[in-house]
Amino acid sequence: MAAITDEQVERVRALVASIPSGKVATYGDIAAAAALSSPRIVGWIMRTDSSDLPWHRVIPASGRPAAHLATRQLERLRAEGVLATDGRVPLRGDRCVRHVFDDEPSAR
DNA sequence: GACGTGACGCTAC
DNA sequence: AGTAGCGCCACGT
């Protein structure tokens, strides 16, 4: 059963909430940290969950979020201190995936 | 039960 | 380097 449980959602929420200002995480990294089956699931959770999570700190590995969100994303990120170049978020160095769960040995 | 859709990722050209 | 196509998983209709 490939149904997402509240636990998975809670995990993603915790990860996103653990992202410090001025830093951003990619869906893929969060999905891996949350042990999700696919990075798409993270996007689905964000879309469905209208929590106060800083979803704007979560960006795709391409550095270019969906057009309908890109504007909002970049503007919010800029307010956080993340300057986007040409509508592109610099994943280089700003990438920060807080492994809030020490269950991952790859957490360095 | 099946098809279409979607806050994505990676590889190939 | 940028663009295009395919693959992935879950949800909605």
Side-chain angles (χ1 to χ4, degrees):
Chain A
M1 41 216 271
I4 301 288
T5 68
D6 292 301
E7 189 174 287
Q8 294 291 92
V9 179
E10 189 179 347
R11 234 172 275 182
V12 176
R13 290 174 65 180
L15 286 159
V16 177
S18 69
I19 302 172
S21 303
K23 293 267 185 161
V24 291
T26 68
Y27 288 92
D29 285 358
I30 291 176
L36 287 175
S37 313
S38 180
R40 284 199 103 90
I41 309 305
V42 180
W44 170 79
I45 294 172
M46 293 300 217
R47 200 236 290 196
T48 54
D49 188 348
S50 301
S51 303
D52 299 307
L53 292 172
W55 59 270
H56 53 265
R57 287 181 193 157
V58 186
I59 59 175
S62 305
R64 188 181 82 142
H68 33 253
L69 303 172
T71 310
R72 196 85 118 179
Q73 272 277 25
L74 270 58
E75 189 173 316
R76 284 195 172 202
L77 288 171
R78 190 170 71 170
E80 295 287 313
V82 180
L83 273 293
T85 305
D86 189 58
R88 204 157 317 176
V89 181
L91 303 177
R92 187 257 200 73
D94 285 326
R95 228 195 275 186
C96 185
V97 185
R98 204 60 148 185
H99 287 239
V100 295
F101 306 103
D102 47 51
D103 194 17
E104 290 294 300
S106 299
R108 44 187 301 250

